[in-house]
Amino acid sequence: MTDVRVERAELDSGIPVMYRDYGDRVRMAYDPDQIAEAAAIALLCVQLPRLVGSLVLLGPGR
């Protein structure tokens, strides 16, 4: 299982999403002024197909 941390951040124009893959965990930041959270997660799954089918979304602080 891969732990995915999703964060909101003010990113440079034209860079709506950025992520870092550490193997057993992934850290992703998205700019809500440029892209919706669901679209950012979908893009992450395109880049990291191992997350498809195993991604479980938890609320803040979990």
Side-chain angles (χ1 to χ4, degrees):
M1 183 167 77
T2 304
D3 179 39
V4 179
R5 177 169 301 264
V6 177
E7 303 171 36
R8 292 180 180 187
E10 187 176 321
L11 302 174
D12 291 340
S13 179
I15 302 175
V17 178
M18 59 185 303
Y19 73 93
R20 184 76 186 253
D21 185 355
Y22 296 98
D24 62 339
R25 63 188 173 94
V26 175
R27 191 169 175 193
M28 180 190 82
Y30 74 98
D31 187 337
D33 290 337
Q34 297 187 60
I35 192 169
E37 183 177 18
I41 292 170
L43 285 174
L44 182 66
C45 288
V46 167
Q47 294 298 313
L48 300 173
R50 72 177 189 269
L51 299 178
V52 176
S54 65
L55 190 63
V56 176
L57 302 177
L58 302 174
R62 294 187 179 192

